[in-house]
Each structure stands twice: as C-alpha cells, then as structure tokens.
Amino acid sequence: MVVRHIFILAIIALTAAFPASALTMLQASVDRNPVMEGESLILTVTADDDLNSGKLDTSSLLKDFIVGRTSISRSKQIMNFDASNETRWQVLLSPRNIGTITIPAFTIDGVSSKPIPLSVLKTGSQPQQMQDIFMRANLSSEQAYVGQMLTYKVKLYLALELQRGVLNAPNLEGAQIKQLGEDKDSTDVVNGRRYRVIERNYAIIADQPGELTIDGASFAGDVVVQSRRNGAMFSFNESRPTQTQAPKMTVSIKPIPADYQGQWLVADLVVLKEDWPETQNEFKVGDPITRTINLLASNADETSLPEIVIKAPSALKVYPEKPQRNTFLRDNQMVSQLTQTTAIVATQAGTYTLPEIKVPWWNPHLNKQQFATLPARTITVTAGAAIEPLQPQVTTHSSNSDSGFWPWLSLVLGCLWVITLLLWQKERRNKQAAPNIESSAKATKPHSGLTNLQTACHAKDPTGVLNALTRYYSELYQAPMTLSQIAATDSRLSDCIGQLQQSAYGSNQQASNVDFATILSIAKMANTDIKQAKASVLTKLNPS
C-alpha cells in the first residue's frame, strides 16, 4: 500500500516538472543579407514547441523566390526539471529579382514572426572574396551560324567543403547540347581567397536562326559549415543546402548563307587525308586496292560530316565499306572524324585516273565557303601474272571447198595446244610424285600477300596489316575480298580487325592492344586449310 502511494506521488511530481508546453515564440532569420543575384540563402524559422512539420506554410514565398528543399529538425532540453521543445525549419531560397524583397511574416497557432527585408544585389556588385560559392561561364563566340558548334565553359567556385552536389547543364530551347569530356577539379585563388574549382565544358549547336537564350548552368548541393546554436560554448559542423547559377547569356544565330553550295558543314577547319597502300601507283588486274579516306573537322559535330562519294572509271570496280564516325578531344578542341574505307579492283589493264575529291565547308571566321580537297590520282594497271586457260573454240566447217589454208592452220594450232596441255599435266604429276625432294631442294614460294602481312605484323603497323590482309585473302580466295568478308571467315580475326581499325584511325592511334602474332597465326592457318581442301578435291578427282 505504501509503495502504491509512493508511485502515485512520483507521477504527480513528474507531471508538475513537465508542464504542458505551448507555442509562445516564432522567429525567422536568414544566413546572409544582402545576397547576390543567382545565389541562394537559407531561411530558418524556429518555434519553441514540438510542432507538426506541416504547420509552416511557405506558399507566400513563391511570388519572389524559387523555393527549394525544406529540412525539419526537433530538439528537447531539460534543465532543473524544466523541459523545453524546439522545432526548426530550414528553407532553401533563391531570389527571382534584384532589389529589396521582403520575406513575409509567418503565423502558427496565432503566434507570428517578424518580416525580413532582404537586399538582392546585381552580379559583380559585391566583392567575390565575400562569396562562399559562385559560378562563372563563357561562350566561345557571341554569334554563330546554324549548325555551328559553340563551346560553353562553366566553372563552379567553392570556398566551403562540399558534401554532395549536382552540376546541371544550361537550359535552352532550339539547340542541341552535350557534355564534352570529363570534369576538371583544381584550386584557384580569387582576390586572396582560395577556392576549389570544378570546370565542365558543353557543346551547343543551334538548330534554327534567331536569338538563342541560354539560362546558365546551375548547382545545387550541401556544404559543411560551422554552427553554434542556443548560445553553446563550442561550434560544430553541420550540413547546409546551397545552390547557385551562372548568369544568363544570349547568342545571335545566323542562317545558312544563300550563296552556299553543297551539303551544309560549318567548322573552324576541315581537312581530307588519304591512306594509300605502300605508296605505289602500279597494280595488277584483279589485285584489290584498299583506299582509306579520313575527313576531319575541328569544332563540328560528327553527324554533320557528309559521306564521301568516290567516283572511278568503269574499268575500276569500287566496293565501299560502311563509314565510321567518331569524336575526340585534341588540344582542348572537339575533332570529329569520318573514315571511309574502299576496295578498288581493276578489271582491265590500262592507265586510270581517280578524280579529285572535294568537300565544301563554311569558314565562320572568314565568312566564306572553302573546300577540303584530295588531288586526283593516276594509277597504272598491268595484266595479271596468271594466264587464264584457253577455251576451245567450236568451228563451223563451211561446205565451200575453196576455204584456203585457214582450216589447216587451225588444225595445226589445235594440235600444238593439245601437246602443250599434255606436257603440262606430265610435269605436274612429276612434281606431285616427289614432294619431299622438291621441298628439300627449294622451298615453296609463299604468297606475296603473306610476305607483306608478315612484314607489317613485325613492324606493328595497323594500316599496313589491314592492307596486307585484304591482298593476302584476295589471293587465297582468288577473288576480291573486303575487310568485312575477311572478318566473316573467323570470329577471332573479326575482333582483331576491329582492334586494327581502332588503332589505325582512332584518337589515340596506338597499336598496344593489337595481337599481331594471333593475326599472323590465323592467316597462316587459313592458307593451310585452303590447300588441304584443294588437295582433297584433287584426290577425289584423281585417285591414282
């Protein structure tokens, strides 16, 4: 019974020690005043009671501010059996206009805060050493043509420790935008204060003429700041949301000039380069000639590069492969490349001229049309070393007895041809009957294409290996072979050809990833397989 009375008295004492709390005070403050245009500030509203998070209505701020993330925290303190509660709202705000803006009073359960007059200054009117975070941006040009690539460079300056954040691309309509390369992280001293600098580049290509408005890139994230709350003796680190935005920009976009002729291409510089096999100009009938043309354009998008049309005389058969497009950065400039590989096969002996190749483009610095050219090239084609067997001709005998000596001459020539054919078959049987003697006396002469392939592989020359592969496989199959057809013969060779093309025409142009030994091994194996297949066919035809 006594214990029960003691327990009741304890409950009464505790109840007296923690009286029912009620809201008596509501305070509003900002972390900075004045604030720069495009910067953000933190509005803090504190209530001396434990309140529901939805009690604070911030809709009145939408007129003059962009309202960002809102965070809520609660705390309780007990001192000499006297308990106090606190609810704190932190709202991220970004002013819409410059000038003096009033943050209105807030009211919760009949208790109101005081309004706060806020000064918003124009960008550049406040010394930058007073700013903890700001952004700078610049464009490569204030005016451009439709389809011309502009480089937009933005730098984020941070004087505080960054906890997390997102750098957003500029916002614009009527243009394409994409990031160039990776972000650069460095440090810089601005007006005596050290900043961490994050730099990012974007490519902007306008689709239509007129005035292009670029809303600057923006940043939103959390930074670590020192805070001291409720008169505490020591400060501690806390995370604070922040955001900033680069200034707005406008660009004048010009239309395509009326006197321009050809497919529209605008760039700082356009060049044509050609890879020609072994720097030779004399070939044989049936030998495939691999011609690779590279079109490079500085500060242009790869999709704007026109395909190269190769014209040739009717005696030259042209087999173009699908053009390859890629983009890479060189000397802080974006370079787009189109690679067109073509196999050319001559069907008749003679001297032929491959016509000049011209690609029109517009120079925005000189405001005139120019041409990237490859000069005409003359080649000589000689008859092949292999002589095709003569086809027997069917002669129709005339009933006229005065036909002269021509039938007798034809008969003599026919007999000579039969004798020659018999002698050739006899010599061939003798060679097949003594293969060991022949091989020991004299090694079989390898294909010239294989010799070239071995030389190119030992030199680790990707372009030379591609040309040698085309010639070698064309000799093996006795028909013109493209790189695509060669890759289809072996999956391992397909991967190797892809590595060769990337090394030969890629941005790094290194051959370290190419396995030249595997390429040579596969090529020799293909030669052996084809010889075995031919030997098997001959055995079936001539079992003796």
Side-chain angles (χ1 to χ4, degrees), residues 314-467:
S314 58
L316 301 180
K317 301 300 181 182
V318 179
Y319 304 95
E321 296 185 1
K322 183 178 180 180
Q324 303 293 324
R325 301 174 185 266
N326 56 48
T327 304
F328 55 91
L329 285 175
R330 180 169 292 174
D331 298 331
N332 294 324
Q333 286 192 336
M334 185 174 179
V335 179
S336 296
Q337 179 178 6
L338 182 142
T339 301
Q340 177 69 67
T341 301
T342 305
I344 303 174
V345 180
T347 59
Q348 297 178 10
T351 300
Y352 305 100
T353 298
L354 298 173
E356 178 188 46
I357 298 177
K358 298 178 65 175
V359 175
W361 63 284
W362 185 263
N363 189 329
H365 305 289
L366 301 178
N367 289 321
K368 69 175 185 179
Q369 182 173 355
Q370 294 183 319
F371 294 89
T373 60
L374 275 180
R377 178 181 290 273
T378 301
I379 63 174
T380 301
V381 179
T382 60
I387 301 176
E388 297 182 0
L390 296 175
Q391 300 294 330
Q393 297 181 355
V394 179
T395 59
T396 303
H397 296 283
S398 173
S399 60
N400 187 1
S401 59
D402 283 336
S403 55
F405 68 93
W406 293 109
W408 297 100
L409 180 61
S410 299
L411 178 60
V412 172
L413 291 176
C415 293
L416 291 175
W417 178 80
V418 172
I419 294 172
T420 303
L421 182 61
L422 292 174
L423 291 174
W424 175 78
Q425 289 179 347
K426 181 179 180 181
E427 183 181 359
R428 183 176 179 181
R429 290 194 190 97
N430 293 335
K431 289 183 177 180
Q432 291 179 349
N436 295 330
I437 298 175
E438 181 69 19
S439 60
S440 61
K442 180 180 179 181
T444 303
K445 183 179 179 181
H447 290 279
S448 61
L450 181 58
T451 304
N452 295 334
L453 180 59
Q454 290 173 335
T455 302
C457 287
H458 292 157
K460 295 185 177 181
D461 178 12
T463 303
V465 173
L466 288 172
N467 295 333

Side-chain angles (χ1 to χ4, degrees), residues 182-327:
E182 302 293 334
D183 293 347
K184 296 180 180 179
D185 201 329
S186 61
T187 59
D188 194 8
V189 177
V190 180
N191 295 328
R193 189 175 185 184
R194 183 172 295 277
Y195 289 86
R196 177 188 177 187
V197 183
I198 300 175
E199 178 181 336
R200 180 178 293 180
N201 293 327
Y202 293 95
I204 297 176
I205 303 174
D207 298 329
Q208 54 191 12
E211 187 175 85
L212 179 65
T213 301
I214 304 174
D215 291 333
S218 61
F219 171 80
D222 293 333
V223 293
V224 178
V225 297
Q226 290 187 345
S227 177
R228 181 177 298 174
R229 190 179 297 174
N230 295 334
M233 182 179 299
F234 302 101
S235 61
F236 57 93
N237 292 336
E238 70 173 4
S239 177
R240 187 190 75 184
T242 184
Q243 66 182 23
T244 185
Q245 187 174 14
K248 183 181 295 186
M249 295 182 176
T250 57
V251 185
S252 176
I253 305 299
K254 302 178 182 179
I256 299 176
D259 57 348
Y260 182 85
Q261 297 180 355
Q263 182 175 338
W264 176 247
L265 173 61
V266 55
D268 291 347
L269 179 65
V270 179
V271 294
L272 275 171
K273 294 184 177 181
E274 179 184 32
D275 291 334
W276 191 258
E278 304 174 3
T279 65
Q280 67 182 46
N281 290 320
E282 184 171 326
F283 305 90
K284 295 181 180 180
V285 172
D287 285 350
I289 309 168
T290 302
R291 187 188 195 189
T292 302
I293 298 175
N294 293 311
L295 174 63
L296 298 101
S298 175
N299 285 336
D301 187 65
E302 62 182 50
T303 58
S304 64
L305 300 182
E307 293 189 6
I308 301 173
V309 179
I310 299 178
K311 298 180 180 179
S314 58
L316 301 180
K317 301 300 181 182
V318 179
Y319 304 95
E321 296 185 1
K322 183 178 180 180
Q324 303 293 324
R325 301 174 185 266
N326 56 48
T327 304

